Amino acid sequence: MIRNEEIRMHILRCLALLLFLSVAGTATLGDGETAPARDAKQPVDDAYTAKIKKYTTQPFFTSPLVDYLPASKTVPTPEAVLGDVAGAPGILPYAEDVYKYMRLLEKASPRVKVFSIGKTEEGREMIAVAVSSPENLKNLEGNRAQLAKLADPRTIKLNDEEADRIVAQAVPVYYITGTIHSPETGAPTALMELAYRLAVDESPYIREIRDGMITLITPVVEVDGRDRMVDIYHWHLSHPKDFYPPLIYWGKYVAHDNNRDAMGVTLKLTENVLNTYVDWKAQVLHDLHESVPYLYDNTAGDGPFNAWVDPILTDEWEMIGWRNVSDMTKFGMPGVFTHGVFDTWSPGYLMFIAAMHNGISRLYETFGNGGADTLPRTLDADEYSRTWYRQNPPLPKVLWSQRDNNNYEQTGLLTSLHYFNENKRLFLKNFYLKAKRSVTKPGAEGPSAYVLPADDPRLASQAELLRVLQKQAVEISRATAAFSVTLPAKKSAKPKKDAKDVKDAPPAPTTREFPAGSYIVRMDQPYSRIADALLDYQYWSPDDPQKTPYDDTGWTFGELFGVQVTRVVDPKVLDVAMERVKEINAPSGVSGEAAIYAINNNAEPSLATLRYKLHDASIEAAEEPFESGGKKFSRGSFLIRNATRAQLNDAISNLGLQATPVSAMPSVKTHPVRAARIAFVHTWLSTQAEGWWRIALDNLGIPYDYISTQTISKASDLNAKYDVILFPPVGFFSGPTAIINGLPSAWGNPLPWKNTPETPNLVGKNDSTDDMRPGLGWEGVANLQNFVAKGGVLLTATDTSRFALAIGLADGVSVGNAQKMKIVGSVVGTRLVDGASPIAYGYDEKLSAYCDNGPIFSLSSVSGARGGRRLGAESHTRPTGRGTMDDPDFTIGRPGAEVPDEPKSEIWENPFLNDEQLHNNFRAIPPANRARVIFRYADSKDLLISGLVEGGDEIAQHPAVVDVPTGNGHVVLFSINPVYRGETRGTYSLVLNTILNFDSLNAGRKLAEK
Ligand SMILES: [Zn+2]
């Protein structure tokens, strides 16, 4: 009671202070600035306004911009569709309702236009709503043509005076996107009301925005997820006393990571927003989120800033961010701040589409209740603490409503729009300057181009990488003749102090030849910035003051796609004879006719596509390299029979594969490559990480049954249905006990995930259950054990590898915890250990992979023992005695005794067992059952490719991909994550090879003698 009293007194004190501040604030406008307030003559919708007041829980959770609703005789308010005001308790509209309202607005007002911008994976529409003056909307095309000249300064020959002329006349476009994160539910109603205000309010403050610029709004970005979230909320309303199910699926594939797709552009929502942003030549992309009290404008984040953003942009962030805080502070709204903890290093966020395309990226975190209930909200001390960047922090405890959230969102956006409009000439000029600096990059910071050679052994993956760049609106060219460029000399890492070295001639530049047909990504184009950011290397210093990277620290696309990319500084590359390429097609086809065709194996994922496409053909894999007709074929190359040339040609087109007729089967050993029956397992804990695996398999056309751990628990004979079980990473809440036990179920109600009258959109194309809570259970563990014992192949990665090891599915492998190691979403080097394993087919000695802190695998040759972690140099020294380090010792008075010569095993090898250790040791693992390491992590000095690697010696040389024979089957464990965010195509084939060779994984295996 006392505590509540204190809180009430505290709130009252704040209220008094804030009322004083808000009065003081409105009086201090700058010269010529328009007051942020309603015009006294502006008619007001009294009934609507009364409800705004009613649903706002404190008078200081609003502003003079949104505490009333302007009235219109002709234009319907959001109430027409919602049945109440925007932000009313209990009301959460489906995307369809939001669109219905936007189209009502369009019908009633010449100031609103609605555009369809594409469909989601599940076929739902995405829209963009333009609000501006009728004149601006009538002249959209003419204005777009003007903006296009600023966006691509080559069209005006980089003429600054011409740019100034356009800047003085053009109408800028400010693009706002809502609800990419489905449990962050407030934006759609805020944006409905915002569109209405912008369309009808005649107060000067709003009129200036309307006449001066085009506000473009996508009210719902994750449309599939929005509909599921509204379903869940409806279920909650009709079962008010029950727990309601967590939103396990958002979009068809991924959840929170839908805002990490702006590099790979794998999801439709990213592609649609990117296309809209680029097509409209917009200046700003402002994305709305809800996870921080009350408005965190992380436009101006903490460092380190992304190295490829223009410093002009980072200055704009500060200008806009701090002005936004200032405006809202003057309204007396508490808890508005910028700076915060967010670094802008990774370009994966949706808003970063703007940062990487010469615009301005912005993001709000406001405070959402995950639905439309009004709730008491208690904050942690770090949320209400006063910091240098948050002088007016949120209150420790408040009653918070969806309307409060809508007030903050709209107030922030209106002040942002107004400020942007007031300074639009500056921002338009900056837009031009950033584009110009992208075009003049080769002569400034460089490089001049990136070259992807025509003789890359992985042309299908190369084409995929180039298609990502094309989605990013990057222009791709192809050399029409062979050419050469000068590459700078590689500097040695640390110049030695020895005088001798200094006298040596510095390393000389080298020349590299590229064949005709090589792809050139020119850096003298307006969107060179994104190409540079994706193709270059990243280095995050362990000494960086930022100790908690917000997301991945490295992503170099050439490395992760497994294709060659050369950064060329030499400006001569721009003079090479080349042509622009519209469509990227890797050469595919069959070069003749025969009964047998061979396809070389370069670990192209499309080989797996071919296997599943050619159902009736017989395909064998060569277990050793061979030559035929003067051509060399590597291990794992396909030998195809029972397919006509036409069938093969049809199946192979678009796959970037080339088939060669061979006169006879080669003499090397072969085994069948079969289309394995795949079970793809998910939990009901989180589907975040597995979604990236699902979309990869779907895009490759690999069929699978999508089943949950609950299904596994009921399937006593998994081998009858499946050859391979894929258990991709779980992500959040993924400990072994959570996978087995599921969600807590000691109390409370079942949590259904299925279509019901209240939840018609839940299932989509995913999975359903009457109760999400049960996990794999011990029956499921037994079923998995049986599956492997009877010959099945189980494939796990990162956290599911930990799970497989915890339940004893892979003897001889243990997992250690990192002490000081910090590898935060980085690209690391791995090394081939056993090239004869089918899992390694098509791979080279070195392979770059995505790693996020392990896990660290260690091997033991003794059952149940933990493999030791051995750091640094080996320390097997001789005992103290006579002689040098390598000399034999002696003992006075008797002949010397030889120390037995035993093989030393490397960190990635099964430790050698000597006679003593083998004596009557039933725990010794028989050689055929010991772990087979396919890839290991590189040595410590070679571990970092891109990103942050600190304390890497803890994982250096340890196994990265291990095949553990268990019973008659195999458990294949990944420490790296081979399938991630559409960025890691280069490691997909480690998974696909396991699938295709499921019944021949022991091929090429050499066993230890004892
Ligand atoms: Zn969010």
Side-chain angles (χ1 to χ4, degrees):
M1 282 304 280
I2 291 169
R3 218 181 121 65
N4 284 343
E5 199 63 26
E6 271 174 8
I7 289 163
R8 201 157 63 229
M9 285 305 293
H10 177 78
I11 289 172
L12 284 173
R13 275 197 302 274
C14 290
L15 174 60
L17 180 68
L18 290 164
L19 281 176
F20 167 76
L21 280 176
S22 73
V23 171
T26 50
T28 53
L29 287 173
D31 280 352
E33 279 185 25
T34 310
R38 176 177 78 85
D39 189 316
K41 285 175 285 189
Q42 172 63 50
V44 169
D45 184 327
D46 289 321
Y48 196 107
T49 301
K51 283 186 179 165
I52 292 177
K53 196 172 174 204
K54 182 174 161 198
Y55 301 144
T56 300
T57 59
Q58 291 291 348
F60 44 82
F61 289 155
T62 188
S63 75
L65 291 173
V66 298
D67 63 2
Y68 72 98
L69 195 80
S72 165
K73 290 204 175 72
T74 52
V75 182
T77 72
E79 204 166 3
V81 164
L82 299 175
D84 203 332
V85 309
I91 293 177
L92 218 55
Y94 286 110
E96 208 177 84
D97 301 321
V98 180
Y99 298 175
K100 191 173 155 196
Y101 176 67
M102 293 301 193
R103 289 188 161 117
L104 282 180
L105 271 185
E106 181 184 37
K107 228 175 158 186
S109 168
R111 296 163 172 176
V112 180
K113 263 188 162 185
V114 179
F115 299 84
S116 207
I117 61 166
K119 294 251 163 89
T120 66
E121 279 80 6
E122 294 182 356
R124 294 182 178 87
E125 186 190 19
M126 288 176 70
I127 65 166
V129 184
V131 191
S132 195
S133 70
E135 296 70 34
N136 289 342
L137 291 182
K138 258 180 234 143
N139 187 35
L140 276 184
E141 288 313 314
N143 187 60
R144 191 202 312 267
Q146 292 297 94
L147 292 176
K149 291 179 193 167
L150 300 180
D152 185 354
R154 294 172 304 181
T155 58
I156 53 169
K157 301 188 169 60
L158 313 189
N159 182 330
D160 292 349
E161 281 122 57
E162 175 66 2
D164 285 338
R165 203 187 55 73
I166 298 166
V167 163
Q169 295 168 1
V171 179
V173 179
Y174 193 111
Y175 188 17
I176 301 165
T177 48
T179 312
I180 183 174
H181 283 165
S182 304
E184 301 165 16
T185 51
T189 49
L191 293 172
M192 288 163 79
E193 194 176 283
L194 182 83
Y196 174 85
R197 291 178 187 282
L198 289 173
V200 308
D201 201 320
E202 296 298 341
S203 303
Y205 193 83
I206 305 294
R207 217 174 49 223
E208 285 170 16
I209 298 171
R210 181 168 63 237
D211 294 345
M213 57 198 288
I214 296 160
T215 304
L216 192 64
I217 301 168
T218 291
V220 184
V221 172
E222 175 57 274
V223 189
D224 299 333
R226 172 67 179 187
D227 284 3
R228 291 198 177 94
M229 182 63 206
V230 176
D231 275 5
I232 291 279
Y233 186 64
H234 288 170
W235 194 91
H236 157 64
L237 289 182
S238 48
H239 304 81
K241 289 186 181 150
D242 287 346
F243 293 118
Y244 50 93
L247 196 69
I248 183 91
Y249 294 98
W250 299 11
K252 182 179 176 190
Y253 292 109
V254 296
H256 190 268
D257 257 15
N258 60 8
N259 194 31
R260 299 295 186 275
D261 186 44
M263 288 194 264
V265 199
T266 311
L267 305 175
K268 289 286 179 200
L269 64 86
T270 318
E271 197 175 348
N272 293 337
V273 168
L274 197 161
N275 287 342
T276 305
Y277 180 81
V278 169
D279 288 350
W280 280 75
K281 315 294 172 199
Q283 282 63 55
V284 184
L285 180 56
H286 191 152
D287 195 32
L288 302 179
H289 291 252
E290 297 165 27
S291 69
V292 179
Y294 299 96
L295 191 154
Y296 168 31
D297 179 359
N298 66 5
T299 297
D302 196 358
F305 290 163
N306 177 285
W308 292 265
V309 298
D310 200 307
I312 295 175
L313 170 61
T314 59
D315 294 340
E316 290 174 322
W317 284 340
E318 303 295 328
M319 288 164 67
I320 292 179
W322 289 107
R323 170 61 188 246
N324 202 178
V325 173
S326 171
D327 279 345
M328 292 181 74
T329 302
K330 282 188 263 185
F331 289 142
M333 302 175 85
V336 178
F337 65 103
T338 189
H339 186 76
V341 295
F342 171 76
D343 66 69
T344 68
W345 180 247
S346 161
Y349 315 102
L350 188 80
M351 64 155 172
F352 239 68
I353 288 170
M356 290 287 112
H357 293 82
N358 305 323
I360 300 171
S361 52
R362 295 199 66 186
L363 190 147
Y364 277 173
E365 296 283 1
T366 59
F367 201 36
N369 284 349
D373 290 1
T374 301
L375 298 171
R377 299 294 301 268
T378 308
L379 305 188
D380 293 337
D382 65 337
E383 291 175 303
Y384 61 77
S385 62
R386 192 172 61 246
T387 65
W388 72 263
Y389 55 82
R390 190 170 57 197
Q391 274 296 102
N392 183 1
L395 287 67
K397 181 162 187 168
V398 293
L399 187 68
W400 188 257
S401 69
Q402 180 175 232
R403 181 67 216 185
D404 296 332
N405 184 30
N406 279 194
N407 288 341
Y408 271 75
E409 286 170 315
Q410 289 191 68
T411 302
L413 288 170
L414 285 169
T415 52
S416 291
L417 290 167
H418 194 268
Y419 174 69
F420 189 83
N421 182 57
E422 274 184 336
N423 298 281
K424 65 183 163 191
R425 304 299 164 212
L426 169 75
F427 290 124
L428 278 169
K429 184 67 185 286
N430 284 355
F431 179 63
Y432 163 75
L433 286 176
K434 286 179 281 184
K436 184 180 163 189
R437 280 152 68 112
S438 297
V439 173
T440 55
K441 186 180 189 59
E445 77 274 16
S448 296
Y450 286 88
V451 179
L452 288 80
D455 54 3
D456 192 308
R458 298 191 181 94
L459 292 175
S461 293
Q462 181 192 69
E464 281 297 322
L465 171 50
L466 290 167
R467 282 193 279 264
V468 171
L469 294 178
Q470 282 190 319
K471 282 186 184 176
Q472 296 276 8
V474 174
E475 298 166 0
I476 311 290
S477 305
R478 191 164 47 196
T480 52
F483 65 98
S484 64
V485 298
T486 305
L487 299 179
K490 279 235 167 193
K491 271 192 183 172
S492 59
K494 275 181 196 157
K496 285 181 187 161
K497 276 184 183 169
D498 278 358
K500 263 188 210 163
D501 290 339
V502 177
K503 275 182 208 153
D504 284 349
T510 54
T511 303
R512 170 138 185 208
E513 310 270 341
F514 291 99
S518 294
Y519 288 100
I520 300 175
V521 185
R522 303 178 64 104
M523 291 291 107
D524 57 349
Q525 58 169 309
Y527 299 138
S528 62
R529 193 183 303 281
I530 179 67
D532 195 17
L534 294 182
L535 299 176
D536 208 346
Y537 288 76
Q538 294 78 41
Y539 182 75
W540 183 305
S541 167
D543 299 328
D544 195 280
Q546 178 64 266
K547 295 300 176 200
T548 52
Y550 201 83
D551 205 78
D552 289 342
T553 57
W555 52 80
T556 309
F557 267 44
E559 296 286 350
L560 289 178
F561 274 64
V563 301
Q564 300 170 25
V565 176
T566 306
R567 184 179 194 263
V568 180
V569 178
D570 184 357
K572 266 183 18 210
V573 70
L574 299 173
D575 301 329
V576 168
M578 65 179 94
E579 59 191 11
R580 275 281 297 281
V581 188
K582 284 256 147 32
E583 223 176 288
I584 311 281
N585 285 312
S588 303
V590 187
S591 61
E593 190 133 25
I596 307 168
Y597 295 94
I599 300 179
N600 195 18
N601 194 331
N602 288 312
E604 286 280 30
S606 49
L607 280 168
T609 308
L610 180 70
R611 168 63 282 187
Y612 282 89
K613 261 187 166 179
L614 283 179
H615 318 270
D616 301 327
S618 129
I619 303 182
E620 306 258 316
E623 294 189 2
E624 292 301 327
F626 64 92
E627 269 192 55
S628 176
K631 278 194 176 175
K632 286 185 175 165
F633 292 88
S634 61
R635 274 201 192 104
S637 290
F638 277 19
L639 291 153
I640 304 172
R641 284 181 289 193
N642 302 334
T644 65
R645 181 181 180 173
Q647 285 169 333
L648 185 54
N649 206 40
D650 184 49
I652 217 170
S653 65
N654 304 326
L655 293 185
L657 299 173
Q658 284 175 307
T660 310
V662 292
S663 48
M665 283 294 274
S667 56
V668 297
K669 207 176 163 206
T670 65
H671 66 251
V673 176
R674 287 193 247 268
R677 301 164 302 159
I678 304 168
F680 184 119
V681 183
H682 72 89
T683 65
W684 290 102
L685 303 167
S686 169
T687 61
Q688 173 63 47
E690 56 94 347
W692 294 115
W693 287 54
R694 221 166 354 112
I695 196 169
L697 290 188
D698 286 357
N699 289 342
L700 287 166
I702 315 281
Y704 55 86
D705 278 1
Y706 185 58
I707 61 174
S708 77
T709 45
Q710 293 179 357
T711 311
I712 296 268
S713 74
K714 292 179 202 109
S716 55
D717 189 4
L718 288 161
N719 304 71
K721 288 181 84 174
Y722 306 113
D723 304 309
V724 175
I725 293 178
L726 297 183
F727 196 175
V730 173
F732 305 113
F733 318 114
S734 60
T737 48
I739 290 172
I740 295 168
N741 294 337
L743 296 165
S745 56
W747 67 306
N749 49 284
L751 300 172
W753 186 273
K754 60 177 187 178
N755 280 357
T756 65
E758 292 124 18
T759 54
N761 302 294
L762 272 195
V763 173
K765 307 227 167 30
N766 296 319
D767 201 358
S768 63
T769 177
D770 290 328
D771 188 0
M772 292 167 66
R773 297 176 303 167
L776 180 66
W778 294 102
E779 302 83 356
V781 170
N783 291 341
L784 276 182
Q785 281 167 334
N786 274 331
F787 170 75
V788 176
K790 283 159 66 183
V793 173
L794 173 68
L795 186 152
T796 61
T798 65
D799 54 23
T800 53
S801 292
R802 284 180 185 275
F803 161 76
L805 294 173
I807 62 168
L809 271 182
D811 208 2
V813 182
S814 60
V815 59
N817 290 320
Q819 306 299 309
K820 288 178 183 155
M821 182 180 80
K822 212 164 147 188
I823 300 178
V824 186
S826 301
V827 187
V828 299
T830 71
R831 297 290 180 267
L832 182 64
V833 174
D834 193 339
S837 163
I839 298 171
Y841 283 167
Y843 281 103
D844 310 321
E845 291 294 316
K846 293 179 176 181
L847 175 66
S848 298
Y850 173 85
C851 174
D852 191 35
N853 268 340
I856 303 168
F857 295 150
S858 294
L859 301 187
S860 167
S861 303
V862 176
S863 179
R866 292 185 72 82
R869 182 156 6 98
R870 285 166 283 163
L871 300 181
E874 286 294 308
S875 56
H876 296 306
T877 57
R878 48 157 284 188
T880 309
R882 76 144 286 276
T884 65
M885 171 102 148
D886 304 319
D887 281 347
D889 198 358
F890 65 24
T891 301
I892 303 292
R894 68 164 164 79
E898 278 294 310
V899 176
D901 209 7
E902 289 179 350
K904 212 176 76 178
S905 41
E906 302 283 358
I907 286 181
W908 61 88
E909 291 174 334
N910 288 295
F912 171 80
L913 296 180
N914 64 22
D915 296 338
E916 186 72 13
Q917 288 159 324
L918 280 168
H919 175 66
N920 191 32
N921 189 354
F922 51 85
R923 285 202 171 83
I925 302 172
N929 290 82
R930 287 184 202 159
R932 183 184 190 185
V933 175
I934 318 300
F935 276 89
R936 65 168 174 91
Y937 285 102
D939 298 353
S940 192
K941 66 177 175 42
D942 300 321
L943 197 56
L944 170 67
I945 305 277
S946 259
L948 167 65
V949 171
E950 189 175 4
D953 51 351
E954 290 188 48
I955 202 168
Q957 300 189 333
H958 283 256
V961 183
V962 201
D963 167 17
V964 188
T966 302
N968 291 319
H970 292 258
V971 179
V972 179
L973 305 159
F974 285 74
S975 164
I976 58 166
N977 185 352
V979 187
Y980 179 72
R981 291 182 178 173
E983 299 170 9
T984 61
R985 193 181 163 92
T987 45
Y988 285 6
S989 285
L990 295 169
V991 175
L992 300 171
N993 282 342
T994 306
I995 291 171
L996 296 183
N997 300 282
F998 71 95
D999 54 354
S1000 301
L1001 287 180
N1002 283 333
R1005 177 152 197 198
K1006 288 194 185 66
L1007 299 181
E1009 277 170 32
K1010 37 187 178 176

